[in-house]
Amino acid sequence: MASSVKKVPVRRVTLDEQLSKVPRHFSVEGDLLLSHLTAGLSALFPEGEEFFVRSVRRYRDRVRDPVLARQVAGFIGQEAVHGREHRVFNDRLGDLGYPTKSFERLTGRILRLLERISPPIANLATTAAVEHFTATLAEVVLTSEDGDFPGEGGQFKEQAVRDLFVWHALEESEHKAVAFDVYRAVGGPEWLRIWTMKMVRVGFVALMVVQMVVSLLKDRASWKGGALRASWSRFRSAPIMQREVWHALHDYDRRGFHPYDRDTLALEETWRERLFGAEGTMSSYVRGWVA
Ligand SMILES: [Fe+2]
Ligand SMILES: [Fe+2]
C-alpha cells in the first residue's frame, strides 16, 4: 500500500479513571508471567515514545512529501497520547507494588544516554526498528484479542487494560510505517537500518527478561509453590511466544523490506469500527479527535 493514502488520526483517549482501579494480576486467570510481561512493556512506553517523537521530529523539516508530513503530525500526536495513558497505568502498577516506575526512569536514562552518544540518523534507525517491534506485537494483540469479551482467547482479563492495549495496538498498526518512511526520505542507509534491528532485538529481549525477573521476584505470589511453573506452561503457549512472531520480527532484516509488506489493513479496519465506530466500545473515552 502506498503511504500516500494512509491516515494517522489522533484520538485523545482517556482511560485514567478505569486504569486507576486495576487489580494486581490483571491478565487472564490472573496469570503471573503475563501480568508481569504486560507491566514490563508498559514501563518502556512513556519514555520510549518520547524518544521516538524526538528522533522523528529532528528530521521533520526535511520531509518534503505533504502526505508524509501529515502522517508525522499524526504519529507525534498518537505517541503523545499513548505515553500519557501508559504513565497513568504505570502509576497504578507502582501503587500495586510493581517496580514499573523504576523501570520507566531507567528506560529514560538509557535512551538519553543513547541520544548523547549516537548520531540523529542512528536514533531514527532505532525508532524505525522499535516501531517494527511494536507493530509486530500490535498484530499479535489485535489477532489474539479477537473475542467479544476480555479473556476470550486473549491475554487480558481486565477491561481497562485490554482497552489500553487494543487501542494502542490499533494506532501502532496505523502509524507503523511513519518513522520508517521518514528514515528513507532523509536517505538513511539500508545497512544501518538492518544492523540497528539486530542490536535492538538483542537489547529489547534482554531488557524484557531482566525486567520480568526483577518484577516477579518482588511479587509474593511468585513464591507460592507451583505458581510459577503453572504460569510458565500457560505462558509458553501464549500468542506472543509463538515462532511466527519471531519470524515476523526478522522480516525487517531483508533488504528492500517495507512495513506495508505485511498487510494489516483489514485487521485495523475491524478494530477501528469495533472501538471507535458508530457503536464503538471506546468512543465514550475519546475527548477529542484530529483526523
Ligand atoms: Fe505508541
Ligand atoms: Fe509507535
Side-chain angles (χ1 to χ4, degrees):
M1 179 206 198
S3 61
S4 56
V5 288
K6 199 165 181 186
K7 283 196 175 149
V8 181
V10 182
R11 308 167 181 95
R12 306 213 178 280
V13 166
T14 173
L15 288 162
D16 304 20
E17 203 190 317
Q18 291 76 7
L19 288 170
S20 65
K21 297 178 195 140
V22 166
R24 185 169 176 89
H25 296 125
F26 45 79
S27 277
V28 68
E29 295 174 44
D31 189 74
L32 269 174
L33 285 160
L34 285 173
S35 295
H36 285 272
L37 172 72
T38 307
L41 276 172
S42 189
L44 302 179
F45 286 132
E47 292 287 343
E49 292 176 318
E50 282 176 21
F51 168 83
F52 303 159
V53 167
R54 290 194 298 274
S55 305
V56 170
R57 195 177 263 151
R58 176 78 169 63
Y59 287 95
R60 201 176 186 178
D61 57 358
R62 285 175 56 185
V63 173
R64 298 276 166 262
D65 175 1
V67 177
L68 181 56
R70 267 202 302 281
Q71 290 174 334
V72 167
F75 165 82
I76 291 172
Q78 284 191 340
E79 296 293 36
V81 185
H82 301 164
R84 196 190 63 206
E85 290 308 296
H86 275 278
R87 256 186 228 284
V88 173
F89 184 42
N90 293 349
D91 288 345
R92 172 63 180 162
L93 293 173
D95 292 344
L96 290 168
Y98 285 84
T100 318
K101 297 306 281 184
S102 312
F103 286 135
E104 200 183 289
R105 285 188 291 273
L106 177 68
T107 307
R109 276 202 287 273
I110 293 173
L111 292 173
R112 275 187 290 279
L113 174 69
L114 195 65
E115 279 174 307
R116 272 207 302 278
I117 61 175
S118 47
I121 195 67
N123 295 325
L124 187 59
T126 301
T127 299
V130 183
E131 283 287 289
H132 180 62
F133 246 92
T134 52
T136 305
L137 296 180
E139 196 182 336
V140 172
V141 169
L142 296 181
T143 309
S144 60
E145 295 293 326
D146 209 24
D148 284 336
F149 302 101
E152 209 178 287
Q155 118 165 34
F156 305 110
K157 175 181 67 174
E158 287 302 315
Q159 184 69 55
V161 184
R162 188 190 195 229
D163 284 344
L164 175 68
F165 277 84
V166 289
W167 153 64
H168 193 169
L170 166 65
E171 296 192 350
E172 287 305 317
S173 226
E174 287 176 334
H175 74 227
K176 68 180 179 180
V178 177
F180 185 100
D181 285 341
V182 172
Y183 181 80
R184 274 220 175 139
V186 301
E190 275 292 84
W191 72 264
L192 178 63
R193 178 183 75 73
I194 294 166
W195 181 85
T196 303
M197 177 49 119
K198 291 184 180 171
M199 298 297 114
V200 164
R201 225 165 17 226
V202 174
F204 191 91
V205 172
L207 194 63
M208 284 313 297
V209 170
V210 170
Q211 278 203 73
M212 275 182 81
V213 170
V214 174
S215 195
L216 282 161
L217 286 174
K218 284 196 71 188
D219 187 346
R220 277 166 180 270
S222 315
W223 299 89
K224 275 199 206 114
L228 270 179
R229 197 174 322 126
S231 179
W232 174 245
S233 58
R234 253 196 308 265
F235 187 67
R236 275 194 313 189
S237 58
I240 199 172
M241 292 297 283
Q242 302 314 301
R243 198 178 290 268
E244 300 85 70
V245 175
W246 198 242
H247 287 159
L249 284 175
H250 277 82
D251 276 356
Y252 193 88
D253 298 359
R254 184 168 35 82
R255 284 193 164 263
F257 165 88
H258 188 277
Y260 292 153
D261 292 347
R262 200 162 173 94
D263 185 358
T264 49
L265 287 180
L267 191 61
E268 288 164 35
E269 191 46 47
T270 300
W271 279 96
R272 229 180 342 257
E273 192 53 34
R274 186 177 283 176
L275 299 179
F276 302 108
E279 313 231 313
T281 55
M282 288 188 67
S283 297
S284 62
Y285 302 137
V286 182
R287 299 284 177 263
W289 186 292
V290 185

